[in-house]
PDB file of all heavy atoms in Angstrom:
ATOM      1  N   ALA C   1     -14.793 -13.435 -16.939  1.00 97.00           N
ATOM      2  CA  ALA C   1     -13.899 -13.757 -18.091  1.00 97.00           C
ATOM      3  C   ALA C   1     -13.062 -12.613 -18.674  1.00 97.00           C
ATOM      4  O   ALA C   1     -11.888 -12.746 -18.910  1.00 97.00           O
ATOM      5  CB  ALA C   1     -14.700 -14.496 -19.177  1.00 97.00           C
ATOM      6  N   GLY C   2     -13.738 -11.467 -18.790  1.00 97.00           N
ATOM      7  CA  GLY C   2     -13.055 -10.323 -19.262  1.00 97.00           C
ATOM      8  C   GLY C   2     -12.044  -9.912 -18.420  1.00 97.00           C
ATOM      9  O   GLY C   2     -10.978  -9.396 -18.690  1.00 97.00           O
ATOM     10  N   ALA C   3     -12.182  -9.893 -17.074  1.00 98.00           N
ATOM     11  CA  ALA C   3     -11.342  -9.457 -16.045  1.00 98.00           C
ATOM     12  C   ALA C   3     -10.121 -10.342 -16.027  1.00 98.00           C
ATOM     13  O   ALA C   3      -8.964  -9.896 -15.891  1.00 98.00           O
ATOM     14  CB  ALA C   3     -12.021  -9.473 -14.541  1.00 98.00           C
ATOM     15  N   GLU C   4     -10.310 -11.593 -16.163  1.00 98.00           N
ATOM     16  CA  GLU C   4      -9.286 -12.661 -16.207  1.00 98.00           C
ATOM     17  C   GLU C   4      -8.282 -12.414 -17.380  1.00 98.00           C
ATOM     18  O   GLU C   4      -7.061 -12.473 -17.305  1.00 98.00           O
ATOM     19  CB  GLU C   4      -9.816 -14.099 -16.272  1.00 98.00           C
ATOM     20  CG  GLU C   4     -10.324 -14.576 -14.929  1.00 98.00           C
ATOM     21  CD  GLU C   4     -11.018 -15.986 -15.031  1.00 98.00           C
ATOM     22  OE1 GLU C   4     -11.137 -16.455 -16.205  1.00 98.00           O
ATOM     23  OE2 GLU C   4     -11.469 -16.480 -13.938  1.00 98.00           O
ATOM     24  N   LYS C   5      -8.889 -12.047 -18.648  1.00 97.00           N
ATOM     25  CA  LYS C   5      -8.141 -11.694 -19.768  1.00 97.00           C
ATOM     26  C   LYS C   5      -7.251 -10.450 -19.560  1.00 97.00           C
ATOM     27  O   LYS C   5      -6.159 -10.300 -19.734  1.00 97.00           O
ATOM     28  CB  LYS C   5      -9.108 -11.545 -20.981  1.00 97.00           C
ATOM     29  CG  LYS C   5      -9.618 -12.748 -21.633  1.00 97.00           C
ATOM     30  CD  LYS C   5     -10.432 -12.343 -22.872  1.00 97.00           C
ATOM     31  CE  LYS C   5     -11.363 -13.403 -23.375  1.00 97.00           C
ATOM     32  NZ  LYS C   5     -12.228 -12.929 -24.496  1.00 97.00           N
ATOM     33  N   ALA C   6      -7.983  -9.498 -18.975  1.00 98.00           N
ATOM     34  CA  ALA C   6      -7.335  -8.171 -18.841  1.00 98.00           C
ATOM     35  C   ALA C   6      -6.151  -8.247 -17.724  1.00 98.00           C
ATOM     36  O   ALA C   6      -5.202  -7.559 -17.880  1.00 98.00           O
ATOM     37  CB  ALA C   6      -8.316  -7.137 -18.331  1.00 98.00           C
ATOM     38  N   ARG C   7      -6.474  -9.071 -16.721  1.00 98.00           N
ATOM     39  CA  ARG C   7      -5.446  -9.186 -15.612  1.00 98.00           C
ATOM     40  C   ARG C   7      -4.223  -9.752 -16.113  1.00 98.00           C
ATOM     41  O   ARG C   7      -3.061  -9.573 -15.502  1.00 98.00           O
ATOM     42  CB  ARG C   7      -6.036  -9.852 -14.363  1.00 98.00           C
ATOM     43  CG  ARG C   7      -7.140  -9.021 -13.742  1.00 98.00           C
ATOM     44  CD  ARG C   7      -7.427  -9.477 -12.288  1.00 98.00           C
ATOM     45  NE  ARG C   7      -6.286  -9.146 -11.393  1.00 98.00           N
ATOM     46  CZ  ARG C   7      -6.124  -9.645 -10.115  1.00 98.00           C
ATOM     47  NH1 ARG C   7      -7.224 -10.284  -9.577  1.00 98.00           N
ATOM     48  NH2 ARG C   7      -5.045  -9.310  -9.407  1.00 98.00           N
ATOM     49  N   GLN C   8      -4.212 -10.768 -17.080  1.00 97.00           N
ATOM     50  CA  GLN C   8      -3.072 -11.276 -17.561  1.00 97.00           C
ATOM     51  C   GLN C   8      -2.060 -10.271 -18.054  1.00 97.00           C
ATOM     52  O   GLN C   8      -0.991 -10.235 -17.773  1.00 97.00           O
ATOM     53  CB  GLN C   8      -3.412 -12.263 -18.566  1.00 97.00           C
ATOM     54  CG  GLN C   8      -4.084 -13.683 -18.153  1.00 97.00           C
ATOM     55  CD  GLN C   8      -4.385 -14.607 -19.251  1.00 97.00           C
ATOM     56  OE1 GLN C   8      -3.864 -14.459 -20.315  1.00 97.00           O
ATOM     57  NE2 GLN C   8      -5.071 -15.595 -18.948  1.00 97.00           N
ATOM     58  N   SER C   9      -2.632  -9.349 -18.925  1.00 96.00           N
ATOM     59  CA  SER C   9      -1.974  -8.264 -19.558  1.00 96.00           C
ATOM     60  C   SER C   9      -1.563  -7.295 -18.513  1.00 96.00           C
ATOM     61  O   SER C   9      -0.355  -6.844 -18.390  1.00 96.00           O
ATOM     62  CB  SER C   9      -2.768  -7.505 -20.618  1.00 96.00           C
ATOM     63  OG  SER C   9      -2.142  -6.341 -21.000  1.00 96.00           O
ATOM     64  N   ALA C  10      -2.443  -6.953 -17.606  1.00 98.00           N
ATOM     65  CA  ALA C  10      -2.121  -5.895 -16.527  1.00 98.00           C
ATOM     66  C   ALA C  10      -1.111  -6.398 -15.593  1.00 98.00           C
ATOM     67  O   ALA C  10      -0.326  -5.553 -15.236  1.00 98.00           O
ATOM     68  CB  ALA C  10      -3.545  -5.672 -15.822  1.00 98.00           C
ATOM     69  N   ALA C  11      -1.072  -7.560 -15.145  1.00 98.00           N
ATOM     70  CA  ALA C  11      -0.175  -8.080 -14.163  1.00 98.00           C
ATOM     71  C   ALA C  11       1.261  -8.124 -14.610  1.00 98.00           C
ATOM     72  O   ALA C  11       2.121  -7.683 -13.957  1.00 98.00           O
ATOM     73  CB  ALA C  11      -0.645  -9.551 -13.698  1.00 98.00           C
ATOM     74  N   ALA C  12       1.343  -8.418 -15.892  1.00 98.00           N
ATOM     75  CA  ALA C  12       2.734  -8.372 -16.583  1.00 98.00           C
ATOM     76  C   ALA C  12       3.294  -6.987 -16.598  1.00 98.00           C
ATOM     77  O   ALA C  12       4.460  -6.713 -16.408  1.00 98.00           O
ATOM     78  CB  ALA C  12       2.543  -9.001 -17.976  1.00 98.00           C
ATOM     79  N   THR C  13       2.312  -6.018 -16.944  1.00 98.00           N
ATOM     80  CA  THR C  13       2.812  -4.646 -16.988  1.00 98.00           C
ATOM     81  C   THR C  13       3.138  -4.132 -15.671  1.00 98.00           C
ATOM     82  O   THR C  13       4.261  -3.438 -15.457  1.00 98.00           O
ATOM     83  CB  THR C  13       1.631  -3.744 -17.658  1.00 98.00           C
ATOM     84  OG1 THR C  13       1.479  -4.240 -19.062  1.00 98.00           O
ATOM     85  CG2 THR C  13       2.079  -2.300 -17.625  1.00 98.00           C
ATOM     86  N   VAL C  14       2.323  -4.296 -14.697  1.00 98.00           N
ATOM     87  CA  VAL C  14       2.692  -3.744 -13.264  1.00 98.00           C
ATOM     88  C   VAL C  14       3.849  -4.438 -12.672  1.00 98.00           C
ATOM     89  O   VAL C  14       4.806  -3.732 -12.113  1.00 98.00           O
ATOM     90  CB  VAL C  14       1.479  -4.014 -12.358  1.00 98.00           C
ATOM     91  CG1 VAL C  14       1.872  -3.657 -10.922  1.00 98.00           C
ATOM     92  CG2 VAL C  14       0.280  -3.025 -12.788  1.00 98.00           C
ATOM     93  N   LYS C  15       4.094  -5.760 -12.991  1.00 97.00           N
ATOM     94  CA  LYS C  15       5.266  -6.369 -12.488  1.00 97.00           C
ATOM     95  C   LYS C  15       6.467  -5.789 -13.088  1.00 97.00           C
ATOM     96  O   LYS C  15       7.506  -5.462 -12.403  1.00 97.00           O
ATOM     97  CB  LYS C  15       5.154  -7.912 -12.899  1.00 97.00           C
ATOM     98  CG  LYS C  15       6.423  -8.653 -12.518  1.00 97.00           C
ATOM     99  CD  LYS C  15       6.243 -10.229 -12.742  1.00 97.00           C
ATOM    100  CE  LYS C  15       7.328 -11.062 -12.236  1.00 97.00           C
ATOM    101  NZ  LYS C  15       8.608 -10.919 -13.109  1.00 97.00           N
ATOM    102  N   ARG C  16       6.563  -5.544 -14.373  1.00 98.00           N
ATOM    103  CA  ARG C  16       7.709  -5.048 -15.078  1.00 98.00           C
ATOM    104  C   ARG C  16       7.938  -3.588 -14.656  1.00 98.00           C
ATOM    105  O   ARG C  16       9.042  -3.079 -14.402  1.00 98.00           O
ATOM    106  CB  ARG C  16       7.509  -5.004 -16.656  1.00 98.00           C
ATOM    107  CG  ARG C  16       8.695  -4.623 -17.342  1.00 98.00           C
ATOM    108  CD  ARG C  16       9.824  -5.625 -17.230  1.00 98.00           C
ATOM    109  NE  ARG C  16      11.049  -5.124 -17.827  1.00 98.00           N
ATOM    110  CZ  ARG C  16      12.310  -5.002 -17.164  1.00 98.00           C
ATOM    111  NH1 ARG C  16      12.342  -5.456 -15.938  1.00 98.00           N
ATOM    112  NH2 ARG C  16      13.233  -4.574 -17.885  1.00 98.00           N
ATOM    113  N   THR C  17       6.833  -2.806 -14.507  1.00 98.00           N
ATOM    114  CA  THR C  17       6.858  -1.433 -14.076  1.00 98.00           C
ATOM    115  C   THR C  17       7.621  -1.329 -12.663  1.00 98.00           C
ATOM    116  O   THR C  17       8.570  -0.512 -12.461  1.00 98.00           O
ATOM    117  CB  THR C  17       5.468  -0.761 -13.912  1.00 98.00           C
ATOM    118  OG1 THR C  17       4.822  -0.833 -15.186  1.00 98.00           O
ATOM    119  CG2 THR C  17       5.613   0.681 -13.442  1.00 98.00           C
ATOM    120  N   LYS C  18       7.196  -2.139 -11.763  1.00 97.00           N
ATOM    121  CA  LYS C  18       7.812  -2.100 -10.420  1.00 97.00           C
ATOM    122  C   LYS C  18       9.080  -2.594 -10.360  1.00 97.00           C
ATOM    123  O   LYS C  18      10.036  -1.909  -9.647  1.00 97.00           O
ATOM    124  CB  LYS C  18       6.890  -2.997  -9.466  1.00 97.00           C
ATOM    125  CG  LYS C  18       5.554  -2.473  -9.144  1.00 97.00           C
ATOM    126  CD  LYS C  18       4.586  -3.359  -8.521  1.00 97.00           C
ATOM    127  CE  LYS C  18       4.988  -3.561  -7.027  1.00 97.00           C
ATOM    128  NZ  LYS C  18       4.037  -4.500  -6.298  1.00 97.00           N
ATOM    129  N   GLU C  19       9.508  -3.562 -11.210  1.00 97.00           N
ATOM    130  CA  GLU C  19      10.906  -4.019 -11.269  1.00 97.00           C
ATOM    131  C   GLU C  19      11.843  -2.858 -11.858  1.00 97.00           C
ATOM    132  O   GLU C  19      12.905  -2.681 -11.270  1.00 97.00           O
ATOM    133  CB  GLU C  19      10.917  -5.145 -12.269  1.00 97.00           C
ATOM    134  CG  GLU C  19      10.515  -6.476 -11.629  1.00 97.00           C
ATOM    135  CD  GLU C  19      10.426  -7.544 -12.659  1.00 97.00           C
ATOM    136  OE1 GLU C  19      10.642  -7.424 -13.873  1.00 97.00           O
ATOM    137  OE2 GLU C  19      10.111  -8.828 -12.327  1.00 97.00           O
ATOM    138  N   MET C  20      11.366  -2.103 -12.893  1.00 97.00           N
ATOM    139  CA  MET C  20      12.104  -1.107 -13.404  1.00 97.00           C
ATOM    140  C   MET C  20      12.290   0.139 -12.435  1.00 97.00           C
ATOM    141  O   MET C  20      13.354   0.803 -12.371  1.00 97.00           O
ATOM    142  CB  MET C  20      11.564  -0.623 -14.814  1.00 97.00           C
ATOM    143  CG  MET C  20      11.529  -1.693 -15.857  1.00 97.00           C
ATOM    144  SD  MET C  20      10.745  -1.244 -17.380  1.00 97.00           S
ATOM    145  CE  MET C  20      11.951  -0.105 -18.057  1.00 97.00           C
ATOM    146  N   ILE C  21      11.302   0.308 -11.658  1.00 97.00           N
ATOM    147  CA  ILE C  21      11.440   1.294 -10.607  1.00 97.00           C
ATOM    148  C   ILE C  21      12.407   1.068  -9.587  1.00 97.00           C
ATOM    149  O   ILE C  21      12.959   1.829  -8.964  1.00 97.00           O
ATOM    150  CB  ILE C  21       9.924   1.727 -10.047  1.00 97.00           C
ATOM    151  CG1 ILE C  21       9.146   2.350 -11.105  1.00 97.00           C
ATOM    152  CG2 ILE C  21      10.098   2.491  -8.759  1.00 97.00           C
ATOM    153  CD1 ILE C  21       7.564   2.580 -10.667  1.00 97.00           C
ATOM    154  N   GLY C  22      12.593  -0.356  -9.358  1.00 96.00           N
ATOM    155  CA  GLY C  22      13.431  -0.864  -8.287  1.00 96.00           C
ATOM    156  C   GLY C  22      12.742  -1.532  -7.225  1.00 96.00           C
ATOM    157  O   GLY C  22      13.271  -2.079  -6.196  1.00 96.00           O
ATOM    158  N   MET C  23      11.354  -1.780  -7.370  1.00 95.00           N
ATOM    159  CA  MET C  23      10.547  -2.385  -6.309  1.00 95.00           C
ATOM    160  C   MET C  23      10.618  -3.925  -6.453  1.00 95.00           C
ATOM    161  O   MET C  23       9.560  -4.628  -6.708  1.00 95.00           O
ATOM    162  CB  MET C  23       9.097  -1.849  -6.487  1.00 95.00           C
ATOM    163  CG  MET C  23       8.970  -0.414  -6.058  1.00 95.00           C
ATOM    164  SD  MET C  23       7.247   0.096  -6.280  1.00 95.00           S
ATOM    165  CE  MET C  23       7.267   1.708  -5.459  1.00 95.00           C
ATOM    166  N   LYS C  24      11.821  -4.509  -6.428  1.00 90.00           N
ATOM    167  CA  LYS C  24      12.030  -5.938  -6.470  1.00 90.00           C
ATOM    168  C   LYS C  24      12.965  -6.305  -5.351  1.00 90.00           C
ATOM    169  O   LYS C  24      14.249  -5.892  -5.544  1.00 90.00           O
ATOM    170  CB  LYS C  24      12.489  -6.349  -7.751  1.00 90.00           C
ATOM    171  CG  LYS C  24      12.558  -7.895  -7.916  1.00 90.00           C
ATOM    172  CD  LYS C  24      13.045  -8.360  -9.331  1.00 90.00           C
ATOM    173  CE  LYS C  24      13.051  -9.841  -9.413  1.00 90.00           C
ATOM    174  NZ  LYS C  24      13.533 -10.311 -10.696  1.00 90.00           N
ATOM    175  N   TYR C  25      12.494  -6.902  -4.324  1.00 91.00           N
ATOM    176  CA  TYR C  25      13.363  -6.962  -3.124  1.00 91.00           C
ATOM    177  C   TYR C  25      13.722  -8.481  -2.803  1.00 91.00           C
ATOM    178  O   TYR C  25      14.562  -8.776  -1.901  1.00 91.00           O
ATOM    179  CB  TYR C  25      12.694  -6.429  -1.888  1.00 91.00           C
ATOM    180  CG  TYR C  25      12.202  -4.903  -2.199  1.00 91.00           C
ATOM    181  CD1 TYR C  25      10.866  -4.602  -2.204  1.00 91.00           C
ATOM    182  CD2 TYR C  25      13.110  -3.951  -2.418  1.00 91.00           C
ATOM    183  CE1 TYR C  25      10.508  -3.262  -2.474  1.00 91.00           C
ATOM    184  CE2 TYR C  25      12.801  -2.588  -2.738  1.00 91.00           C
ATOM    185  CZ  TYR C  25      11.365  -2.305  -2.756  1.00 91.00           C
ATOM    186  OH  TYR C  25      11.056  -1.040  -2.955  1.00 91.00           O
ATOM    187  N   THR C  26      13.014  -9.379  -3.417  1.00 85.00           N
ATOM    188  CA  THR C  26      13.423 -10.753  -3.130  1.00 85.00           C
ATOM    189  C   THR C  26      13.545 -11.475  -4.491  1.00 85.00           C
ATOM    190  O   THR C  26      13.115 -11.036  -5.597  1.00 85.00           O
ATOM    191  CB  THR C  26      12.203 -11.498  -2.543  1.00 85.00           C
ATOM    192  OG1 THR C  26      11.100 -11.368  -3.171  1.00 85.00           O
ATOM    193  CG2 THR C  26      11.998 -10.838  -1.072  1.00 85.00           C
TER     194      THR C  26
END
């Protein structure tokens, strides 16, 4: 349950990080 809560926040951060770096190809 703790990992599921943490991953919601973490996934959003990593997604935005990669987009800002330019790692969005599709």
Side-chain angles (χ1 to χ4, degrees):
E4 287 173 357
K5 286 183 194 175
R7 291 199 69 185
Q8 287 181 11
S9 169
T13 297
V14 169
K15 180 175 182 290
R16 187 67 186 129
T17 303
K18 292 169 73 175
E19 287 173 352
M20 294 177 76
I21 290 171
M23 293 177 167
K24 184 179 181 182
Y25 309 115
T26 58

